Amino acid sequence: MKRLLPAPLLSVMLFLVWPLLNQSWSLGQLALGALLALVIPWFTEALRPNKGSLRHPLKIVRLGGVVLWDIVTSNIEVARRILGPEAAIQPAFVWLPLSITDPHGIVALAGIITMTPGTLSSELTEDQRHLLIHVLNVDDEAALIAGIKARYEAPLQDIFEGSAR
């Protein structure tokens, strides 16, 4: 089965997205989507040398809720700061030391940081031990780092590595 579907989730997503992209659920589009869902993972398997594994599905859902909440509250905070006096904004670049070692977890962390308004992942050191973040407003760098580690990095460690440190 693994040879037929080397990346089952990718195959399912391709099959579902193909008719959506073509705005047609005709039999021909479904057949073409099924063909692409089978063939594309075969050709792209060599491009994915480091396959990730997810653990703790409930923690994924909980982290998703935390991220959505933070996106909403950050939007409000960014709007308040932008519409307020310029002195209320203290932008800075901050190096975040990473405890997470799984490359998929690091990418997820960088993506979460970038999706949250007011923060942007800028650079990952070559040894993958520090992530450079641009923050729109930094009052307390240590509190910012502690918050990111507790809210995002620890759950991602559970999800990708099996246990938070």
mmCIF file of all heavy atoms in Angstrom, residues 1 5-6 15 32 34 59 101 137 151:
data_model
loop_
_atom_site.group_PDB
_atom_site.id
_atom_site.type_symbol
_atom_site.label_atom_id
_atom_site.label_comp_id
_atom_site.label_asym_id
_atom_site.label_seq_id
_atom_site.Cartn_x
_atom_site.Cartn_y
_atom_site.Cartn_z
ATOM 1 N N MET A 1 0.833 -1.196 0.000
ATOM 2 C CA MET A 1 0.000 0.000 0.000
ATOM 3 C C MET A 1 0.876 1.257 0.000
ATOM 4 O O MET A 1 0.538 2.245 -0.625
ATOM 5 C CB MET A 1 -0.915 -0.036 1.243
ATOM 6 C CG MET A 1 -1.906 1.074 1.261
ATOM 7 S SD MET A 1 -3.078 0.910 -0.086
ATOM 8 C CE MET A 1 -4.253 2.118 0.326
ATOM 9 N N LEU A 5 0.519 4.410 -2.543
ATOM 10 C CA LEU A 5 0.252 5.757 -2.004
ATOM 11 C C LEU A 5 1.378 6.151 -1.050
ATOM 12 O O LEU A 5 1.259 5.993 0.154
ATOM 13 C CB LEU A 5 -1.081 5.777 -1.250
ATOM 14 C CG LEU A 5 -2.342 5.633 -2.066
ATOM 15 C CD1 LEU A 5 -3.542 5.486 -1.156
ATOM 16 C CD2 LEU A 5 -2.524 6.823 -2.988
ATOM 17 N N PRO A 6 2.486 6.654 -1.568
ATOM 18 C CA PRO A 6 3.601 6.995 -0.696
ATOM 19 C C PRO A 6 3.288 8.151 0.258
ATOM 20 O O PRO A 6 3.884 8.257 1.322
ATOM 21 C CB PRO A 6 4.726 7.372 -1.657
ATOM 22 C CG PRO A 6 4.061 7.659 -2.950
ATOM 23 C CD PRO A 6 2.778 6.894 -2.971
ATOM 24 N N PHE A 15 -6.629 15.109 -4.669
ATOM 25 C CA PHE A 15 -7.909 14.674 -5.220
ATOM 26 C C PHE A 15 -9.025 15.668 -4.899
ATOM 27 O O PHE A 15 -9.876 15.958 -5.738
ATOM 28 C CB PHE A 15 -8.269 13.285 -4.685
ATOM 29 C CG PHE A 15 -9.594 12.794 -5.196
ATOM 30 C CD1 PHE A 15 -9.742 12.400 -6.516
ATOM 31 C CD2 PHE A 15 -10.691 12.732 -4.355
ATOM 32 C CE1 PHE A 15 -10.967 11.956 -6.995
ATOM 33 C CE2 PHE A 15 -11.922 12.293 -4.829
ATOM 34 C CZ PHE A 15 -12.058 11.900 -6.146
ATOM 35 N N LEU A 32 -9.374 12.796 -13.560
ATOM 36 C CA LEU A 32 -8.064 13.431 -13.694
ATOM 37 C C LEU A 32 -7.476 13.734 -12.315
ATOM 38 O O LEU A 32 -6.284 13.532 -12.079
ATOM 39 C CB LEU A 32 -8.165 14.713 -14.521
ATOM 40 C CG LEU A 32 -6.863 15.442 -14.814
ATOM 41 C CD1 LEU A 32 -5.839 14.524 -15.476
ATOM 42 C CD2 LEU A 32 -7.127 16.661 -15.690
ATOM 43 N N ALA A 34 -8.046 12.040 -9.586
ATOM 44 C CA ALA A 34 -7.608 10.762 -9.023
ATOM 45 C C ALA A 34 -6.267 10.342 -9.627
ATOM 46 O O ALA A 34 -5.373 9.872 -8.921
ATOM 47 C CB ALA A 34 -8.668 9.693 -9.263
ATOM 48 N N LYS A 59 -3.576 17.802 20.750
ATOM 49 C CA LYS A 59 -2.685 18.950 20.959
ATOM 50 C C LYS A 59 -2.606 19.806 19.699
ATOM 51 O O LYS A 59 -2.434 21.018 19.785
ATOM 52 C CB LYS A 59 -1.299 18.491 21.391
ATOM 53 C CG LYS A 59 -1.310 17.966 22.810
ATOM 54 C CD LYS A 59 0.062 17.651 23.316
ATOM 55 C CE LYS A 59 -0.071 17.106 24.737
ATOM 56 N NZ LYS A 59 1.190 16.890 25.373
ATOM 57 N N THR A 101 13.893 20.555 17.650
ATOM 58 C CA THR A 101 14.925 20.167 16.680
ATOM 59 C C THR A 101 14.344 19.602 15.392
ATOM 60 O O THR A 101 15.036 19.559 14.383
ATOM 61 C CB THR A 101 15.874 19.112 17.288
ATOM 62 O OG1 THR A 101 15.101 17.985 17.708
ATOM 63 C CG2 THR A 101 16.649 19.687 18.464
ATOM 64 N N ASN A 137 6.310 45.515 18.138
ATOM 65 C CA ASN A 137 6.419 46.197 19.419
ATOM 66 C C ASN A 137 6.983 45.245 20.471
ATOM 67 O O ASN A 137 6.408 44.190 20.730
ATOM 68 C CB ASN A 137 5.052 46.714 19.876
ATOM 69 C CG ASN A 137 5.169 47.540 21.128
ATOM 70 O OD1 ASN A 137 5.822 48.581 21.126
ATOM 71 N ND2 ASN A 137 4.579 47.078 22.210
ATOM 72 N N ARG A 151 3.686 29.085 24.426
ATOM 73 C CA ARG A 151 2.435 28.997 23.657
ATOM 74 C C ARG A 151 2.573 28.180 22.379
ATOM 75 O O ARG A 151 1.623 27.529 21.969
ATOM 76 C CB ARG A 151 1.910 30.387 23.332
ATOM 77 C CG ARG A 151 1.446 31.143 24.559
ATOM 78 C CD ARG A 151 0.891 32.506 24.240
ATOM 79 N NE ARG A 151 -0.395 32.474 23.585
ATOM 80 C CZ ARG A 151 -1.558 32.243 24.192
ATOM 81 N NH1 ARG A 151 -1.580 31.988 25.483
ATOM 82 N NH2 ARG A 151 -2.687 32.273 23.514
#
